[in-house]
Amino acid sequence: MLNATQTLGLLVLLLSLFCAHFSRGWFQNNGKSKSPEKQTPDSQDQSCLCHLTGVLDDCFCDIESIDVFNNFKIYPYIRKLTERDFFRYYKVNLKRPCPFWPNDDHCSIKDCHVEPCPESKVPVGIKSGNYNKFSQAASSISDMRECEQVHELGAVNSTLSNQSKEAFADWAHHDDAQDHFCGLDDEMSPDAEYVDLLLNPERYTGYKGPSAWRVWNSIYEENCFKPRSVYRPLNPLAPSRGDDDGEVFYKWLEGLCLEKRVFYRLISGLHSSINIHLCAEYLLDESWGKSIWGPNMHEFRQRFDPAETKGEGTRRLKNLYFLYLIELRALSKVAPYFERSFINLYTGNSQEDSTTKELLLHVLNETKAFPMHFDESSMFAGHKIESKTLKEEFRLHFKNISRIMDCVGCSKCRLWGTLQTQGLGTALRILFSEKEIKDLPENSPSKGFQLTRQEIVALLNGFARLSTSIKELHNFRTLLKDQR
């Protein structure tokens, strides 16, 4: 038992300890810890990408409006659309040699591999080619389900009149002569194979280093209207420039004409979108023979965090939004092409085809309703001869980039790079074919403007990749906020 004196002494001791602890904490919060508090907002601004906001350059749309529109109105439907049979099968030749340098840098990592789809698994209507895309006779075989019956499709072409056959020949000839922004499809090559995009998703494969850098370096350095004397910021293949943060580069870029500036921003936006896919679908674990894929925050920070990229990450992401607007505008302009009743996204299954077209028209109607579209009429609007020359230069540069995709050493990276490049090339062709689209006849095919099935698949899947990037960017922002 403690006596009164001992009890009083113990109380005094406890009170002293409490006061000392309180005083020390108070002084820390108002003294030493005051400085970190001042730094916290800045560090949060860096890590949460708070600078990614406001109106984009070269247009009148803000990032917040795109986020809401994409994440709530477009993304859920475009994702469903690309899961339909018509859009999931893409025919591509992944064995073409690199036309610019000897390419022995083939990725040996298993995740680089693309599994081609056996033709027996491809819907009969897709294998039968483009002819029945417009043919009412195609509906007579819409109930054929099994791939073994594909030989019977020869009857489809024989039901066409001679006039229709001549029209098809004219369309094919006109397609070959049009101002394509990508190389023409290589579907007839014996090396071309169908790929099920759902079974070969775009994600991190481990393909990186000098081989990957050389591809992107060739794209930027040789095809983006850039002089050799101006280096891109954070370019791993450029000579060291000390603490240069790339401001010289951006002074040069802003001094370009609108068309050349747009070209660079499109390529940068495509690069950013691809990088987001790789960060969002990263191999996190492979224990017990089961692969676990998901977002990799460290990888994302390295590529986009302003603190890690000297502010360059924000510019890259803004270019992603700019590219999104370009392709969104193309979809809104091509809507009349698909709204015609005889256009059939043919797979051989009438119910599947009807549902697919209904879903596509819903997506296109949403794009038309977007109130802040990019105004492409401001491009190539100067002197007629100069504008024509600039447009041709623009087209040839982009076509060259589509050929560089054959130099990618990773098959899966090449697959998705080819598809997204062709999708953007198709979008550009649409933007600069306004007159031809307006003149489309309502009840018959047109010789003036046509899209092949490959172009349609690439266009919608390419836009779906951009839509996914913006949705994933929202997820990364949430994860960064939770980490803080």
Side-chain angles (χ1 to χ4, degrees), residues 221-263:
E221 298 295 323
E222 300 169 17
N223 295 281
C224 286
F225 304 98
K226 190 185 73 60
R228 293 277 185 176
S229 58
V230 179
Y231 295 110
R232 285 183 295 124
L234 306 177
N235 178 3
L237 298 184
S240 176
R241 289 163 290 130
D243 294 329
D244 182 11
D245 58 0
E247 288 308 311
V248 172
F249 174 82
Y250 287 102
K251 287 179 182 177
W252 160 82
L253 183 63
E254 294 307 313
L256 287 178
C257 65
L258 172 65
E259 293 80 3
K260 293 182 179 181
R261 193 163 65 245
V262 164
F263 191 97

Side-chain angles (χ1 to χ4, degrees), residues 359-373:
L359 192 53
L360 173 62
L361 293 180
H362 176 84
V363 170
L364 296 178
N365 285 331
E366 290 289 355
T367 66
K368 289 194 297 183
F370 185 71
M372 291 175 281
H373 276 294

Side-chain angles (χ1 to χ4, degrees), residues 29 50-51 55 110 154 173 175 186 206 229 246 249 267 282 299 355 399-400 404 418 458 460:
N29 289 334
C50 292
H51 297 296
V55 177
K110 67 180 180 64
H173 175 74
D175 276 344
D186 195 19
S229 58
F249 174 82
I267 301 307
Y282 199 94
E299 195 75 26
T355 302
K399 195 169 184 178
N400 211 39
I404 293 176
T418 299
L460 271 300

Side-chain angles (χ1 to χ4, degrees), residues 94-162:
L94 297 176
K95 299 177 181 178
R96 281 195 301 252
C98 173
F100 302 108
W101 59 77
N103 191 12
D104 299 322
D105 302 320
H106 293 291
C107 178
S108 59
I109 303 172
K110 67 180 180 64
D111 293 316
C112 287
H113 178 67
V114 170
E115 188 65 40
C117 182
E119 291 223 2
S120 61
K121 299 292 184 182
V122 181
V124 291
I126 292 176
K127 289 188 294 187
S128 61
N130 285 322
Y131 285 138
N132 58 29
K133 183 171 60 177
F134 305 112
S135 173
Q136 295 298 328
S139 62
S140 65
I141 57 164
S142 61
D143 291 333
M144 286 195 294
R145 301 288 192 270
E146 301 299 326
C147 294
E148 288 76 14
Q149 295 176 287
V150 67
H151 64 279
E152 297 180 20
L153 285 171
V156 176
N157 292 340
S158 65
T159 63
L160 300 175
S161 66
N162 289 332

Side-chain angles (χ1 to χ4, degrees), residues 231-426:
Y231 295 110
R232 285 183 295 124
L234 306 177
N235 178 3
L237 298 184
S240 176
R241 289 163 290 130
D243 294 329
D244 182 11
D245 58 0
E247 288 308 311
V248 172
F249 174 82
Y250 287 102
K251 287 179 182 177
W252 160 82
L253 183 63
E254 294 307 313
L256 287 178
C257 65
L258 172 65
E259 293 80 3
K260 293 182 179 181
R261 193 163 65 245
V262 164
F263 191 97
Y264 175 84
R265 298 188 68 191
L266 294 179
I267 301 307
S268 174
L270 180 61
H271 194 181
S272 298
S273 180
I274 291 172
N275 278 334
I276 289 177
H277 304 153
L278 307 187
C279 296
E281 290 291 331
Y282 199 94
L283 182 58
L284 302 178
D285 189 29
E286 200 174 12
S287 58
W288 301 99
K290 184 178 181 181
S291 300
I292 299 177
W293 302 84
N296 185 313
M297 296 300 300
H298 176 72
E299 195 75 26
F300 180 82
R301 284 179 180 275
Q302 279 193 320
R303 298 172 190 260
F304 296 109
D305 194 314
E308 298 281 343
T309 62
K310 298 182 179 180
E312 177 67 16
T314 303
R315 284 189 170 107
R316 295 170 181 169
L317 294 174
K318 285 186 175 181
N319 290 337
L320 160 66
Y321 281 89
F322 183 78
L323 172 59
Y324 180 91
L325 282 181
I326 293 290
E327 295 203 17
L328 183 72
R329 176 60 169 163
L331 288 177
S332 70
K333 291 193 69 173
V334 82
Y337 177 87
F338 292 103
E339 287 170 348
R340 296 174 297 170
S341 59
F342 68 91
I343 293 293
N344 183 26
L345 304 179
Y346 185 69
T347 66
N349 182 329
S350 58
Q351 184 175 357
E352 168 77 14
D353 299 348
S354 176
T355 302
T356 302
K357 184 170 182 181
E358 182 180 348
L359 192 53
L360 173 62
L361 293 180
H362 176 84
V363 170
L364 296 178
N365 285 331
E366 290 289 355
T367 66
K368 289 194 297 183
F370 185 71
M372 291 175 281
H373 276 294
F374 176 79
D375 181 12
E376 75 284 351
S377 65
S378 58
M379 296 179 64
F380 307 108
H383 188 274
K384 188 172 182 180
I385 296 179
E386 292 178 357
S387 295
K388 186 176 180 180
T389 301
L390 180 60
K391 184 177 179 181
E392 179 63 8
E393 191 177 5
F394 190 102
R395 185 184 72 85
L396 291 177
H397 275 243
F398 193 87
K399 195 169 184 178
N400 211 39
I401 290 174
S402 72
R403 297 176 66 206
I404 293 176
M405 288 300 154
D406 289 332
C407 300
V408 177
C410 165
S411 295
K412 187 169 289 183
C413 304
R414 183 191 293 202
L415 164 66
W416 286 101
T418 299
L419 182 144
Q420 290 171 83
T421 303
Q422 186 180 26
L424 175 54
T426 304

